[in-house]
C-alpha cells in the first residue's frame, strides 16, 4: 500500500465516523504519513514503508478502532527502530512513565522520613519532573538532528 493510498483510506474513514476517538487515530495516521511523504525518502526506504503498511492490514473495513490504535503504535515503533525517527511527544510519554517509576523508588528510599504517602507522592512528583525535563532535552535534540516527525 502506498502512502497516498493509505492517506486516502484514512480520510475516507474520517468522513465515515463521528466518534472523536476514532477521528483522532485516523488523523494521527494521516499526519504521520503526510510528514513521511514530505521527507524525501529513498526508493528503498519507500518500499520498506509500503511493505510495513501492507503488513499492518489497514485496508480491511471490518477492523475495529483497537486494531488501528495498535497499528499506529506498531508503525511508530517501526519508524523508530528502522529509521530512528520519532513522533512529537514520543520522549514525553516515556519520560513521564520512567520518571514516575523512578520517583516511586525515590519516594520509598529517600523520602521515607516523611509519612509513607507523602514520601511516595513527593518522589513520584520529583521523578516525573525529572522525566519531563530529560524528555524535553531529548526531543529538542531529535528535532535539531532532523529525526523528529
Amino acid at each position: 500500500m502506498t502512502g497516498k493510498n493509505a492517506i486516502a483510506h484514512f480520510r475516507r474513514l474520517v468522513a465515515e465516523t463521528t466518534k472523536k476517538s476514532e477521528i483522532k487515530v485516523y488523523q494521527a495516521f494521516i499526519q504521520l504519513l503526510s510528514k513521511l511523504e514530505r521527507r524525501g525518502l529513498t526508493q528503498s526506504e519507500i518500499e520498506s514503508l509500503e511493505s510495513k503498511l501492507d503488513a499492518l492490514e489497514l485496508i480491511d473495513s471490518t477492523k475495529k478502532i483497537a486494531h488501528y490504535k495498535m497499528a499506529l503504535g506498531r508503525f511508530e515503533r517501526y519508524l523508530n527502530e528502522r529509521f530512528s525517527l520519532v513522533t512529537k511527544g514520543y520522549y514525553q510519554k516515556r519520560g513521564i512513565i520512567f520518571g514516575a517509576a523512578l520517583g516511586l523508588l525515590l519516594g520509598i528510599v529517600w523520602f521515607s522520613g516523611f509519612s509513607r504517602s507523602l514520601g511516595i507522592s513527593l518522589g513520584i512528583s520529583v521523578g516525573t519532573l525529572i522525566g519531563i525535563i530529560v524528555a524535553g532535552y531529548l526531543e529538542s535534540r531529535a528535532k535539531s538532528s532532523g529525526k523528529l516527525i
Side-chain angles (χ1 to χ4, degrees), residues 82-103:
R82 175 79 163 83
F83 302 108
S84 299
L85 298 173
V86 292
T87 56
K88 186 174 179 157
Y90 174 83
Y91 291 117
Q92 203 75 23
K93 289 181 227 172
R94 276 140 187 87
I96 290 172
I97 291 168
F98 291 129
L102 174 69

Side-chain angles (χ1 to χ4, degrees), residues 49-114:
L49 285 172
E50 289 174 354
S51 67
K52 183 61 178 179
L53 287 172
D54 286 335
L56 292 174
E57 300 175 356
L58 300 173
I59 294 296
D60 189 5
S61 62
T62 62
K63 299 293 182 182
K64 303 269 188 231
I65 188 64
H67 171 76
Y68 289 112
K69 284 181 183 179
M70 288 177 25
L72 180 62
R74 285 193 304 245
F75 191 62
E76 288 176 345
R77 276 192 302 280
Y78 170 77
L79 290 174
N80 187 2
E81 293 168 359
R82 175 79 163 83
F83 302 108
S84 299
L85 298 173
V86 292
T87 56
K88 186 174 179 157
Y90 174 83
Y91 291 117
Q92 203 75 23
K93 289 181 227 172
R94 276 140 187 87
I96 290 172
I97 291 168
F98 291 129
L102 174 69
L104 180 63
L105 195 64
L106 264 172
I108 292 171
V109 175
W110 282 5
F111 301 122
S112 61
F114 299 111

